[in-house]
Amino acid sequence: MSDTLQELRDRALAQIKEGITPEKLEEARVAFLGKKGELTAMLKSMKDLSAEERPKFGQAVNDLRSELETAIDEAKKRMKSAMRSEQLKAEAVDVTLPAKRQAVGHRHPNSLALTEIERIFIGMGYEVVRSTEIEKDYYNFEALNIPADHPAKDEQDTFYLGGDFLLRTQTSGAQVHEMEKGRIPIKMISPGRVFRSDEVDATHSPVFHQVEGLLIDKNITFSDLKGTLAVFAKEFFGEETRVKFRPHHFPFTEPSAEMDVSCYKCGGTGCRFCKGSGWIEILGCGMVHPHVLEMSGVDPETYTGFAFGLGLERLALLKYEIEDMRLLYENDERFLTQF
Ligand code: DAH
């Protein structure tokens, strides 16, 4: 090989070796092997050689071209594999690190309490019926024996939507809807959201939930009411729970009562939880007023029945020993995951 070729070979191989990026390598290729490259120029200069020298020189240039091409290919391959291992290193996953824990959803105390209430009443043969949150004045008040000028209407001020419509203040309207269907016996509970224009505090919220209950059949008496609700109280609060009925007034039941349960904290001796009385009020109830039956198309001469209504939040607070109703609505996971 001529000295010029030898010198060019050394330079080219050195530059290829230095070409540590794809761009540098391409530069080297163009500089030596490209159309205007040094090796091409070398071939062009062959015309100045003698006829004997020409084939030898041509062969040498071609050999060098193959050598350089191979060197560039190999450099490319090395570069690719180096880049790949860099990338692998950068993307390495440490499988020994502790995994992130996936948070699984949690049932709300209201839902837990409602599921329990439904389970108990379904066990006694009750059906769960849903009613509408937007209600006609008639179903929320009038048909429940609360005429326009009744003081009970003041206590249950609500959001009036225009026309005859309002957001229901109680689930009791569900009783009327069930009776109007004309199928007797009726044995249902109806849980749902109710609305009142109340200020938020530890025991009040403008939106809360009630569970209504209604049983209509022949020969239903107050002892059926007592027996049913006593079974419910024992199932919900514990076998040793006792119940007490206090006379009360609701426009749509006669007689009406409020039911207390013996305090499950102190067993009835009196404590901070039951404010010393030994009893905790949990619901309103009574025998459905004959006038209410009549207005809904049920013959009060043939049928009687009882109804009850309870506040779901109140029961959830009691069962899970939560002191402030607002906690139920704040959706703080630290609170909710405790139940
Ligand atoms: N609707 C009543 C309220 O919101 C609760 C109630 C009391 C419902 C007595 C009843 C009942 O069905 O018989 O205060």
Side-chain angles (χ1 to χ4, degrees):
M1 192 185 285
S2 73
D3 285 352
T4 7
L5 269 189
Q6 185 63 52
E7 184 271 337
L8 191 148
R9 177 177 180 272
D10 291 347
R11 261 194 305 119
L13 288 177
Q15 197 170 330
I16 291 167
K17 207 173 160 194
E18 273 170 27
I20 46 160
T21 63
E23 295 77 24
K24 278 259 163 75
L25 206 55
E26 179 61 11
E27 257 173 44
R29 194 191 63 77
V30 173
F32 294 100
L33 304 176
K35 262 192 200 148
K36 292 178 183 160
E38 289 194 43
L39 212 59
T40 321
M42 211 61 105
L43 273 181
K44 281 181 190 155
S45 72
M46 263 173 45
K47 62 182 188 309
D48 303 330
L49 294 177
S50 66
E52 307 95 76
E53 279 173 322
R54 233 176 262 165
K56 253 176 94 187
F57 185 77
Q59 183 65 45
V61 170
N62 279 334
D63 286 350
L64 182 55
R65 169 177 291 274
S66 310
E67 190 187 352
L68 294 184
E69 275 170 355
T70 311
I72 288 174
D73 277 351
E74 273 166 10
K76 263 190 198 158
K77 269 188 216 149
R78 273 198 308 276
M79 198 180 294
K80 261 198 189 149
S81 97
M83 276 160 70
R84 165 157 307 162
S85 40
E86 287 266 303
Q87 196 181 357
L88 282 178
K89 231 190 269 168
E91 292 173 359
V93 173
D94 182 352
V95 292
T96 65
L97 282 176
K100 271 191 203 145
R101 275 218 295 158
Q102 249 345 237
V104 178
H106 201 275
R107 303 194 74 173
H108 191 276
N110 267 357
S111 306
L112 290 171
L114 181 57
T115 306
E116 186 61 5
I117 294 166
E118 289 182 347
R119 182 188 70 75
I120 297 167
F121 280 102
I122 288 170
M124 292 193 276
Y126 284 67
E127 220 186 317
V128 180
V129 177
R130 299 273 165 178
S131 194
T132 51
E133 292 170 5
I134 292 176
E135 187 61 283
K136 280 195 163 163
D137 188 285
Y138 175 78
Y139 289 96
N140 196 73
F141 294 119
E142 204 105 348
L144 293 165
N145 238 358
I146 309 171
D149 56 358
H150 197 287
K153 243 183 142 166
D154 274 351
E155 284 162 26
Q156 299 193 7
D157 195 14
T158 182
F159 305 88
Y160 288 84
L161 303 175
D164 267 350
F165 292 100
L166 47 79
L167 295 181
R168 65 176 177 187
T169 61
Q170 49 186 354
T171 44
S172 301
Q175 293 185 33
V176 181
H177 289 293
E178 274 313 288
M179 288 190 282
E180 283 186 349
K181 287 180 187 165
R183 276 182 279 135
I184 293 178
I186 297 169
K187 226 177 159 184
M188 69 94 181
I189 57 169
S190 186
R193 219 183 316 230
V194 299
F195 308 83
R196 295 192 190 177
S197 63
D198 275 340
E199 294 288 336
V200 174
D201 67 23
T203 53
H204 291 88
S205 161
V207 183
F208 61 104
H209 300 78
Q210 289 185 335
V211 181
E212 195 74 18
L214 178 68
L215 186 144
I216 306 276
D217 205 347
K218 286 179 178 158
N219 304 317
I220 301 300
T221 68
F222 201 89
S223 23
D224 295 307
L225 180 159
K226 282 179 77 175
T228 302
L229 294 180
V231 166
F232 165 68
K234 284 176 193 293
E235 280 280 321
F236 192 80
F237 289 111
E239 192 49 42
E240 46 320 306
T241 308
R242 286 164 294 125
V243 295
K244 179 172 86 171
F245 292 83
R246 277 181 294 103
H248 200 78
H249 173 262
F250 296 105
F252 39 90
T253 44
E254 182 59 35
S256 304
E258 277 188 336
M259 184 176 93
D260 297 348
V261 290
S262 53
C263 178
Y264 49 86
K265 268 268 162 150
C266 62
T269 52
C271 67
R272 198 175 62 90
F273 210 67
C274 55
K275 298 192 183 82
S277 78
W279 296 97
I280 299 169
E281 181 237 310
I282 66 159
L283 55 79
C285 57
M287 301 306 291
V288 182
H289 198 295
H291 190 217
V292 171
L293 292 174
E294 210 163 28
M295 281 190 283
S296 303
V298 177
D299 179 6
E301 298 297 329
T302 315
Y303 298 106
T304 49
F306 65 77
F308 57 89
L310 56 84
L312 181 62
E313 279 80 356
R314 178 160 174 76
L315 260 67
L317 296 187
L318 288 170
K319 189 168 172 78
Y320 303 113
E321 298 182 23
I322 302 163
E323 292 200 350
D324 193 320
M325 188 168 172
R326 285 168 288 200
L327 289 166
L328 293 177
Y329 305 121
E330 281 165 1
N331 289 336
D332 187 331
E333 275 190 53
R334 290 168 303 176
F335 166 75
L336 292 174
T337 50
Q338 293 176 51
F339 304 96

